[in-house]
Amino acid sequence: SLGTMAVQGSDRRCRRRRRFGGVSCDTRHVENIRGMNQIGRGETPSDPTAVVARRLVAFLLDAFIISIAVMLVYRGDIASIVDDDQIIWNRSALLATLVLFILNHVFLAGTSGFSLGKAIVGLRIVRRSDGGLPGLLGAAGRTVPWIIPIPIISFVELGVMITTKGHRRIGDRIGRTLVVDRGDAGRVLAVPGLPDPSEPPPMPEQIDPIEG
């Protein structure tokens, strides 16, 4: 697979570097690709949330599936162009798209732990606290950023997902969720850089009264 080839190629470069210069090699840059080789096995190396590449594929699949469903129903009646080159959208088609979006990303994800796209690539949405199903409230929280009418929100979400610990985009923080391989679902997960959810939060230090 592409993931295996990438890891093997990286390992060869590591061995070559050690042979000639004795320099250790850092393979964290292929962590997300390596996750492709762990579908359904769980225990994604070092970080169960290192599945960013598969999340992007799942997002595209979700959009593609919903778009195809709407086009099959409305065919060429989704939008029209009037004389002044203005696009008029079919409100019924837009409503159908919204309904399918909610069914896929809120109802299905909340009750089963996956959207259609995530099911195809072997991912699961889990509660940060115990690895269980996110529930409707958690799934709804994850979708909040997508309905905010800000053009750059998708790029912000992508940047946050790639660069932060646990690869938690803004929606994951609102819904208190993680996205992991399906083999890692159903249990408390240790994520590098994030506190252990099984431990109680630290209590603030007590301040001794000032003696007068």
Side-chain angles (χ1 to χ4, degrees), residues 3 41 53 62-63 72 76 78 90 96 148 163 166 178 190:
R41 301 179 186 178
D62 283 324
L72 288 176
I78 297 178
N90 185 330
I148 298 176
T163 59
L178 298 171

Side-chain angles (χ1 to χ4, degrees), residues 122-167:
L123 294 179
R124 294 295 183 270
I125 305 167
V126 300
R127 278 196 306 266
R128 170 76 181 100
S129 59
D130 59 7
L133 292 174
L136 295 179
L137 186 60
R142 298 186 79 252
T143 65
V144 168
W146 299 127
I147 61 177
I148 298 176
I150 301 178
I152 64 171
I153 190 64
S154 297
F155 299 101
V156 173
E157 284 281 75
L158 177 61
V160 172
M161 180 178 67
I162 292 175
T163 59
T164 59
K165 301 295 183 181
H167 303 287

Side-chain angles (χ1 to χ4, degrees), residues 55 118 125 138-146 169 171-172 175 177 179:
R55 290 182 68 172
K118 286 182 174 61
I125 305 167
R142 298 186 79 252
T143 65
V144 168
W146 299 127
R169 60 179 181 82
D172 287 312
T177 58
V179 178

Side-chain angles (χ1 to χ4, degrees), residues 62-97:
D62 283 324
F64 177 76
I65 292 171
I66 292 176
S67 298
I68 291 297
V70 173
M71 285 190 292
L72 288 176
V73 173
Y74 290 90
R75 300 180 184 272
D77 193 28
I78 297 178
S80 59
I81 301 177
V82 296
D83 295 336
D84 55 355
D85 294 332
Q86 182 180 1
I87 300 177
I88 304 298
W89 294 96
N90 185 330
R91 293 185 179 180
S92 177
L94 294 179
L95 179 61
T97 303

